Amino acid sequence: MNEETRTRREIEAAAPSLSGMWKMLSPRWRVIAVASLAICLFAASNLARPIVIQQAIDDGLIGGDGSAIVVASILFLALAFAGYVFQALSTYTVTWVGQQFLRDLRMRLFTHYQRLSMSFFDRESSGKLVARMTADMNALTDVLNNGFLMVVQALFLLLGTVVILFVLSWQLALISLIVLPPLVVATAIFRVYSAQAYEAVRDRISDVLVHMQETFAGMRVVQAYAREGHNVERFGAVNELNYEANLRTVRISSMYIPFIEWLGGVGVGLILYFGGRGVFGAEVSVGTVAAFIFYLNFIFQPIQQLSQVYDMLQSGTAALNKIFGLLAIEPELKEPRAAPPLARPVRGELKFDGVSFAYTPETVVLHSVGVTIEPGQRVALVGPTGAGKSTMAKLMMRFYDPTEGSVSLDGRDLRGVATAELRRTVIMVPQEGFLFSGTIAENILFGRPDATTEELIAACQALGVHDLIESLPSGYDTMVSYRGSRLSAGEKQLVSVARAFLADPPVLILDEATSSLDPGTESLVEAAIRRVLAGRTSVVIAHRLSTAEQAERVLVVDDGRIIEDGTHEELVTRDGYYAALHRKWMERSQPFEVASEAPD
Amino acid sequence: MTEEQLDLRAGAGLIAREIRRQARPLSLALLCALIWTIARLAIPVLTGEAIDRAIDVPGGPKLDLLLALALAVAAMAAVQGGAAAFRRYFAMSTSYRVETDLRGELYNRVNRLSFDYYDRTATGQLMSRGSTDLHEIQLLVVLIPINTAFLMMAVGAFFLLLRVHVALAVLAIGIYPLVTALTFRFYNKLFPATARVQQGLGDLTSVVEENIAGARLVRSFGREQHEIERLGRVADQIYDDNMEVARLRTAYTPLFFLLPALGQLVILAYGGWLVLEEQISVGEFVAFFQLLNMLVWPVQGLGEMVASAQRSVTSAARLWNVLREEPTIRQASHARSLPEGNGEVRFEDVWFSYEPDRPVLRDLSMRVPAGTAVALVGPTGCGKSTVAQLVPRFYDVDAGSIQIDGVDIRELKLQELRRSIGLVFEDTFLFSDTIGNNIAYGRLNASDEEIREAARLAQATEFIERLPEGYDTVVGEQGYSLSGGQRQRLAIARAVLTQPRVLILDDATSSVDARMEEEIRGALRQVMKGRTTIIISHRLATIALADQVVLLDEGRVLDMGTHTELMLSNERYREVLGQLAVTPR
């Protein structure tokens, strides 16, 4: 009962997604109609065959009429070929519609992802978003490729059979349909238990795979701590549990299947006995008895199929709801209706005017920040983790809109600037060098796709990274990817800086890497960063003393407020937060002092 | 990646071995299959008898005989059902048994292998051995008894038909071998096509993952349209591959229905004519129709099984390539226990190479006195990390020897040697388990107090206690994600808990920021007290923790001394460290 109401609720909840799905399918309604018709005609050609045989038996064999056999044979042949044609037609058209729909849906969802604001990606786990595009789409593929076909065919066969049986002999139909209720009940019970059992199998096999994956990936640690023996024992247990879960599914189906087969035999027995006795009069001929026996198959198969499809439809509907649920989310940042272009050339004056910001209403991250960054100024943001430095950077990029106040560029509120133009004007280099899969050249060209190879190389030479790239196995054509790539952290950073340099934006925001880079590239990276910051407005979230020292202006951010503002020299003497931080920095680099002073 | 060499004969041998091991349940399954076949064949025969002797007889139906035959049909159905259940049970449970056993064997084998094997084998490759390949073998084992039953049924049906009328039997059944052959061809073509679809779906996943991971960058550079086009190409490819599968299905599946129907047509036309000629009876006619109907499935199944056998032999051959691997590092036959001592480590004229003719260590000799700390310093590729891998015998030296407290490590019990060495790697691997269990990884029977003490020494107590569930917080891939510094401190706690005689820190502070490094350095200072320690680092502050510094270059010891001594006397040392200095003022 509980399950029933839950199912009904799910179906009601699915209404908007179903209408969304239909909107995408409706332009292809003609093909859908052809497919449905083909499925029905295929089923009909199957349904008609036993009648043809019945005619052949009654008129031909028993009636001794040779021409009836010839007619039946020709009809049978025609039905077989019609079945062939309609089956081929339905197989192709159903897949065509399904795959077209899936391709469109994939593109629509992915395009939607590109439209959504950064806040959305900060909130949602990436695993979930990937699953919408993969696992959920696959669940839909099942429904579209097989589910639709199976449902239409099974329902048509089932209803058609019942109608035909009643037309042939309503009394014998009633008798033989005695097997129907136990069949339906047994199948329903089986479905519940086997669904549970298969869910357990999925859990257990995932335990097995996770355990394997971890051991294989962490093999060095395993052996370093001599844990092999214990692991083998533990895995043995997990492996065995998976076996037992599988065995349970076997036990369940081993109870269901014999019952169904026995029920089929009972059906044949019933038809033989009651049909053969002739109690229902002359209308039940030998041919009719034979036809009933053949038709029995058309009752058993569809019911078993429908129970299979039921699970498929459930997960398909769930997937559809999740996908359309995502599609219904609107981007939080609205594109301005009319956005006149920024005055050229962009001077790069960034102004925070009474800006407050909160990710959630309870936690305010910025408290009415007011600051103006002059055109061409090199600014370092300094402060403890969580002070609001990155939030300020995100507001400058308009990844978020301020909760109160405004951020403006050259006097224009960012909310009134077209996103595409803003993105060309203000570019951010993230903390870790992120690489897209492709060549190094492609990764750098990401910043300005229309740049020529000469421009690309010139930019890299100007940055001092050309030699390093050339020294890689395939130079600029070295393949990299966002997962395993052979580049070191420093090399990735260099590619990332080169990308921004090629894009040449009037305003650059740089989130400095916190971790240290390998000694070989550290100095290269620092030189490249100096070069890329030169001659434009720049804001660096600084984690290093040297970076802060080089800035023209240091803003110390703490607890969502700017607490100190000045040059490095000014702030060091002011005896505030920055001066204290500077002292700590100097202490920490004590060994460095030894290193650089001792040789003198 | 180079194509793997496959020994198909060995693969078939592996499957044969598993089948021999499961001979008992498999023969029970075959016995059930035989009973099932007989019962199943009996039903159409009984139906035919009922028509000929009880229904279609002059003078009206014979009710007693009819009832008896109807009951016999129901009884046979019960036997058939029971046999089907047992056949299924034995077949499926055997197949899962085979899968489970082989997976255990694979797992045990991989655990026993040595580092050189992991260096050349990707985890993903081993995972697909343990999942897809095993599944392929499992599938074949299930299909064996089921298809044997089908085959018996086909043969039985053929003989039943033969007994009645030879020409009819040959004509009606003649088309079925063609169905089997076609099914085989179909699956052979379908498999690569579906594999391409899977490949495409994998590509799609990486594009989406990358796009989401790089969402900020995509927006920052305004490259949304480019990304949409990129996905479009993959989506189109998936569409094309799916339509290729659809074309194969369209070409073959309807044939699997048409051809058997032609067999039935033979019975209808030719059989019908034979009834009129009074060569066969009406009952026999109906029975054959039913028999032929039953064969549609089995003949397809046979083709499917042959295709499956082909694939599973390949899978088994791949599996065999792992199972036949032998560990390169083995314990000596009369291995001895660790001697008493405080962990003096000595390298004597050590030569080592990962690949032939490319020595990484060349005649390296050095001594780490018991209870002291030595830092290995040198440019990238000088061999300092290799040194760390040799002490626990992850690899064996090519020439020379390494001794702990005066004993060559190759003479020691392997597990004991490794337990006596605490290793902290550059990238900390955490298992998806609680923090407590991750710390206790090297010493399972550690008490809660001991775990807490290790955490305290590693200065990890503070952050652990701030976590939602403290020591019971699950971390690792599936759990709570920790920062680099936090992970590193857990690794230090893990190493400390085993109370190692020798502690090796391989770039333990490289992946954390300067502030975090200071905290970790505090932790290290604690745990290094009075313990033999080898530090590998390119961070000055970490190097400064050591009593002695060994300067390595090109696999040799170039110089040795305290940090200050080397700074003052060695140009190369200054050069190597110089790259670390902060930007010139």
Side-chain angles (χ1 to χ4, degrees), chain B residues 211-482:
Chain B
N211 176 269
I212 290 168
R216 202 175 294 278
L217 214 56
V218 169
R219 276 156 191 72
S220 179
F221 285 93
R223 288 300 296 276
E224 291 89 344
Q225 195 51 41
H226 170 81
E227 288 290 298
I228 292 170
E229 282 160 22
R230 205 151 74 101
L231 188 93
R233 281 194 293 278
V234 182
D236 284 348
Q237 186 62 48
I238 293 175
Y239 172 81
D240 290 343
D241 291 338
N242 264 312
M243 287 316 290
E244 176 59 30
V245 171
R247 271 188 287 276
L248 277 174
R249 286 192 196 284
T250 307
Y252 281 91
T253 328
L255 275 181
F256 301 145
F257 287 82
L258 177 67
L259 293 176
L262 294 182
Q264 290 178 330
L265 181 71
V266 169
I267 300 229
L268 181 62
Y270 184 47
W273 183 73
L274 288 175
V275 173
L276 289 185
E277 294 284 299
E278 293 188 352
Q279 293 193 33
I280 65 172
S281 68
V282 177
E284 282 165 339
F285 175 89
V286 174
F288 289 158
F289 232 100
Q290 239 182 319
L291 272 175
L292 225 54
N293 231 352
M294 285 177 182
L295 285 182
V296 177
W297 244 92
V299 290
Q300 284 184 41
L302 279 180
E304 191 186 340
M305 186 178 82
V306 181
S308 151
Q310 257 190 348
R311 287 199 307 273
S312 50
V313 165
T314 315
S315 284
R318 275 198 288 264
L319 187 62
W320 177 247
N321 275 350
V322 184
L323 294 183
R324 67 159 188 206
E325 285 286 339
E326 289 294 335
T328 47
I329 307 291
R330 259 173 289 189
Q331 183 168 300
S333 47
H334 298 289
R336 51 177 290 188
S337 290
L338 266 177
E340 290 293 307
N342 292 315
E344 183 210 43
V345 179
R346 192 192 280 270
F347 277 64
E348 267 180 12
D349 312 324
V350 168
W351 286 79
F352 178 77
S353 62
Y354 292 100
E355 296 158 52
D357 301 324
R358 294 184 63 183
V360 178
L361 299 183
R362 306 151 188 258
D363 206 20
L364 179 131
S365 294
M366 64 171 205
R367 182 174 154 261
V368 185
T372 67
V374 164
L376 301 181
V377 176
T380 312
C382 70
K384 48 190 196 293
S385 284
T386 304
V387 169
Q389 311 256 311
L390 291 182
V391 182
R393 264 194 94 192
F394 291 152
Y395 304 89
D396 272 343
V397 297
D398 296 337
S401 72
I402 300 170
Q403 296 151 22
I404 289 186
D405 288 325
V407 181
D408 189 324
I409 54 172
R410 281 168 296 193
E411 290 168 21
L412 292 171
K413 289 184 178 154
L414 192 57
Q415 299 246 319
E416 207 173 300
L417 166 72
R418 287 182 179 165
R419 284 208 179 99
S420 71
I421 295 169
L423 253 172
V424 179
F425 294 98
E426 178 183 357
D427 47 340
T428 303
F429 191 91
L430 294 181
F431 293 88
S432 304
D433 203 339
T434 63
I435 288 197
N437 285 342
N438 262 295
I439 294 178
Y441 195 77
R443 225 176 93 207
L444 293 166
N445 52 5
S447 69
D448 283 356
E449 287 71 45
E450 288 169 316
I451 293 173
R452 271 157 222 271
E453 175 62 16
R456 198 186 59 73
L457 275 174
Q459 311 209 336
T461 316
E462 198 193 326
F463 85 80
I464 295 175
E465 281 169 359
R466 268 207 316 266
L467 290 174
E469 285 163 80
Y471 286 85
D472 295 328
T473 309
V474 173
V475 292
E477 209 141 294
Q478 326 261 309
Y480 200 87
S481 70
L482 299 175

Side-chain angles (χ1 to χ4, degrees), chain A residues 99-142:
Chain A
Q99 290 302 323
Q100 293 253 326
F101 170 76
L102 279 169
R103 188 183 55 182
D104 291 354
L105 189 59
R106 282 198 178 102
M107 291 312 292
R108 190 173 153 192
L109 185 59
F110 190 78
T111 307
H112 187 66
Y113 281 1
Q114 309 314 307
R115 281 182 57 222
L116 287 171
S117 315
M118 261 333 282
S119 54
F120 174 79
F121 291 90
D122 292 341
R123 223 173 27 237
E124 295 287 331
S125 84
S126 66
K128 234 162 84 183
L129 298 180
V130 173
R132 290 302 90 84
M133 282 290 291
T134 53
D136 289 335
M137 292 285 173
N138 293 345
L140 278 184
T141 311
D142 272 354

